[in-house]
Amino acid sequence: MQTRDEAGYERRSDRRYDLKLDLRWKLVRRRRVMDNGVGVTVDVSRGGVRFHAGRELPVGSNVDLSVAWPVRLHNVAPMQLVIQGRVVRSADGWVAVRSMQHEFRTMAMSHEHREISGNVRGSLMVAAAHGTAMRKPF
């Protein structure tokens, strides 16, 4: 979705990326989940997310999003982008959310992935014990 001023210039300062990623959303009020559902992102930027929720969500509502990220930590652990934000627009089944806070988290893994991850974690611990410098992935 393009938002342009009267002269036709793009008003957004953050670049938008057309990513189609599965997500879960929760409407939250005073730390209580009022409603929840699933959807698919339309585009993602540093400042927010637009996604298909299948229905409109109330503008001004606080929302928590968990977006399935396509990249794995150390090529093993599934990641998710967790966003806390506010609904700024909603129409025809899609929702635009302004991000107030976001972070990447690892997701729960299957038994097979835990065994592989344990091997990666073990090699990181051995490297740390030998004083080998390790870079953070981000």
Side-chain angles (χ1 to χ4, degrees), residues 4 6-8 11 32 40 44 50 52 54 58-59 64 67 74 79 82 90 92 101 103 109 114 117 120 126 133 136:
R4 298 185 182 276
E6 291 176 14
R11 292 187 308 187
R32 289 186 54 209
V40 176
V44 178
R50 188 165 57 119
H52 286 286
V59 173
D64 292 344
V67 181
H74 301 294
M79 301 288 295
V82 178
S90 185
D92 300 324
Q101 182 178 346
E103 66 182 341
M109 295 186 287
R114 272 186 232 136
S117 178
V120 169
V126 168
K136 290 185 179 181

Side-chain angles (χ1 to χ4, degrees), residues 71-79 106 120 137-138:
V71 179
R72 293 176 176 264
L73 179 61
H74 301 294
N75 290 327
V76 176
M79 301 288 295
T106 55
V120 169
F138 300 102

